């Protein structure tokens, strides 16, 4: 039989890296499985101002700082996309596209992915002016007019970031009040490059054969209009990355994984943490907090079943 891990952590974002750290420091055999670069969503954040201990830190730098100590405590890293998990009698099986792993426990920390608007032009112009990542693509739009769609923390914070490059950023929001934290709202209202279009939805993204040129909008009074722009950044919330776990029946109807306060799903030995979890506050601090709880709970669970 192949190696048996005490715990496999799926996803190396803030939540998964912390769970791996806490499990490894309990002297467990830990595998951290990731399909991309360690750090997850943090790699797409230009500046983090609300992680205690750092007045301001770049997301990519915080990712590195979290990942570095893992090797010291013996965490094994592997790359791969988890396709399925099986809960068998004694062990649990984690299946990637080219590997099958055996483990006693699993911590799911796969995060969430940006929602699509599902409007005309969104697929056609993806990568040709439509983006879901300001830090990745913002610099392509120097002195250009941009549209940001959404009214939460992501939309407003990323619109502020985009003003470093763009000549003007118009935030289009479907209601008349933002959902974003007050401090972020105030910064946007004070930014001369940011304009707001309230009670308005984008119906269609249009362009020529090379790139986006305009969006067609409609307001609550049913008045339609078009606005010229070179880029459209869409930040309308997140969907959980939980497809590989749907067979386990541990999610709600929208795919968020349900746990108790100790991060336990309803399957003994399977835990879930971070953005993929059903919860109200999706932050690095909460991801890290949940990672530490899961790390300790894995240890306690193994003590219980092995002694
Ligand atoms: P993630 O960071 O999403 O990590 C999940 C990891 O799992 C990813 O690396 C992914 O590749 C991997 N994965 C997924 N599926 C699989 C699979 N099948 N197999 C293998 N690996 C898989 N929070 C703050 O506290 N401060 C901020 O300033 C802040 N700014 C933000 C800005 C934006 C634009 C956004 C969208 C969010 C921001 N947040 C911020 C929220 C914060 O980024 C998240 O709450 C946090 O990073 C979530 O961490 P996580 O580990 O749960 O998930
Ligand atoms: P969010 O908080 O869910 O906000 C989504 C926004 O998009 C809402 O304003 C929503 O409108 C709008 N929206 C949803 N569907 C839409 C549609 N079909 N058409 C038009 N608009 C639509 O998502 P988020 O801003 O991406 O944030 C995700 C999580 O990350 C949150 O927990 C957030 O706190 C966290 N985050 C934190 C920070 C930070 O701490 N600095 C930064 C970024 C993100 P309504 O308001 O009408 O619902």
């Amino acid at each position: 039989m192949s190696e048996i891990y005490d715990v496999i952590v799926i996803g190396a974002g803030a939540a998964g890296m912390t769970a791996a750290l806490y499990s490894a420091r309990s002297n467990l055999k830990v595998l951290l499985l990731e399909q991309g670069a360690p750090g997850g969503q943090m790699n797409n954040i230009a500046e983090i101002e609300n992680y205690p201990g750092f007045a301001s830190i770049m997301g990519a730098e915080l990712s590195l700082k979290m990942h570095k100590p893992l090797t010291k405590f013996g965490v094994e890293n592997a790359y791969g996309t988890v396709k399925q998990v099986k809960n068998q009698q004694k062990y649990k099986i984690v299946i990637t596209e080219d590997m099958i792993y055996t483990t006693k426990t699993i911590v799911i920390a796969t995060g969430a992915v940006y929602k699509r608007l599902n409007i005309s032009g969104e697929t056609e112009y993806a990568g040709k002016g439509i983006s879901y990542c300001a830090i990745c693509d913002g610099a392509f739009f120097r002195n250009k007019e941009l549209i940001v769609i959404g009214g939460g923390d992501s939309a407003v914070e990323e619109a502020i970031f985009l003003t470093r490059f763009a000549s003007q950023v118009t935030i289009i929001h479907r209601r008349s009040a933002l959902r974003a934290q007050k401090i972020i709202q105030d910064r946007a209202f004070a930014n001369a490059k940011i304009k707001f279009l309230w009670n308005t939805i984008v119906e269609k993204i249009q362009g020529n054969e090379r790139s986006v040129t305009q969006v067609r909008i409609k307001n609550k009074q049913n008045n339609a209009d078009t606005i010229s722009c070179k880029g459209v950044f869409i930040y309308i919330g997140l969907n959980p990355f939980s497809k590989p776990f749907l067979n386990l029946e541990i999610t709600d109807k929208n795919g968020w994984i349900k746990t108790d306060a100790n991060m336990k799903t309803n399957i003994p030995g399977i835990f879930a943490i971070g953005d993929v979890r059903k919860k109200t506050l999706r932050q690095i601090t909460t991801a890290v907090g949940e990672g530490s709880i899961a790390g300790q709970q894995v240890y306690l669970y193994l003590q219980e079943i092995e002694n």
Side-chain angles (χ1 to χ4, degrees), residues 5-6 28 91 104 299-307:
Y5 290 93
D6 288 319
L28 301 180
Y91 297 118
K104 296 173 192 166
Y299 172 75
L300 294 176
Y301 171 81
L302 291 173
Q303 290 272 301
E304 200 182 296
I305 61 165
E306 288 177 348
N307 295 316

Side-chain angles (χ1 to χ4, degrees), residues 18-74:
T18 311
L21 176 70
Y22 273 69
S23 304
R25 284 174 57 90
S26 296
N27 212 18
L28 301 180
K29 187 171 172 54
V30 184
L31 178 71
L32 181 57
L33 256 178
E34 168 59 53
Q35 65 182 359
Q41 183 55 49
M42 284 189 295
N43 291 320
N44 299 329
I45 307 175
E47 189 184 5
I48 296 162
E49 288 184 320
N50 54 1
Y51 191 72
F54 298 94
S56 164
I57 183 164
M58 280 159 53
E61 194 186 342
L62 188 57
S63 298
L64 280 178
K65 284 187 188 297
M66 285 191 191
H67 193 250
K68 208 170 167 200
L70 300 185
T71 322
K72 177 177 156 194
F73 293 108

Side-chain angles (χ1 to χ4, degrees), residues 37 48 52 65 80 117 148 194-195 238 275 286:
I48 296 162
K65 284 187 188 297
L117 258 178
V148 170
I194 296 182
K195 241 177 65 179
L238 304 166
D275 276 12
T286 54

Side-chain angles (χ1 to χ4, degrees), residues 192-240:
K193 282 190 177 177
I194 296 182
K195 241 177 65 179
F196 289 88
L197 270 181
W198 304 108
N199 299 312
T200 300
I201 56 160
V202 174
E203 285 193 317
K204 200 171 191 173
I205 301 168
Q206 297 170 311
N208 54 34
E209 62 287 349
R210 282 204 322 276
S211 58
V212 167
T213 55
Q214 61 182 31
V215 294
R216 208 175 75 203
I217 57 168
K218 194 156 90 184
N219 68 14
K220 270 203 174 139
Q221 287 74 44
N222 258 340
N223 298 318
D225 202 353
T226 55
I227 315 178
S228 301
C229 62
K230 292 286 181 210
V232 179
F233 285 77
I234 302 172
Y235 285 109
I236 58 162
L238 304 166
N239 279 324

Side-chain angles (χ1 to χ4, degrees), residues 114-244:
Y114 299 112
K115 272 189 195 162
R116 301 286 188 262
L117 258 178
N118 294 323
I119 56 171
S120 164
E122 189 177 14
T123 308
E124 196 180 342
Y125 291 104
K128 294 179 177 173
I130 296 180
S131 172
Y132 304 85
C133 180
I135 190 172
C136 318
D137 300 328
F140 295 124
F141 297 96
R142 228 168 264 281
N143 301 318
K144 304 280 193 287
E145 294 187 352
L146 294 178
I147 301 285
V148 170
I149 304 172
D153 285 337
S154 297
V156 182
E157 207 164 53
E158 300 310 306
I160 296 168
F161 174 76
L162 288 168
T163 62
R164 294 188 194 189
F165 311 101
S167 54
Q168 185 175 67
V169 178
T170 303
I171 297 180
I172 301 182
H173 184 35
R174 64 183 179 183
R175 293 189 294 126
S176 58
L178 297 171
R179 180 182 292 280
Q181 298 165 56
K182 180 78 170 58
I183 187 169
I184 299 175
Q185 294 193 22
D186 289 346
R187 281 185 197 162
F189 292 140
N191 189 318
K193 282 190 177 177
I194 296 182
K195 241 177 65 179
F196 289 88
L197 270 181
W198 304 108
N199 299 312
T200 300
I201 56 160
V202 174
E203 285 193 317
K204 200 171 191 173
I205 301 168
Q206 297 170 311
N208 54 34
E209 62 287 349
R210 282 204 322 276
S211 58
V212 167
T213 55
Q214 61 182 31
V215 294
R216 208 175 75 203
I217 57 168
K218 194 156 90 184
N219 68 14
K220 270 203 174 139
Q221 287 74 44
N222 258 340
N223 298 318
D225 202 353
T226 55
I227 315 178
S228 301
C229 62
K230 292 286 181 210
V232 179
F233 285 77
I234 302 172
Y235 285 109
I236 58 162
L238 304 166
N239 279 324
F241 245 137
S242 60
K243 202 169 156 210

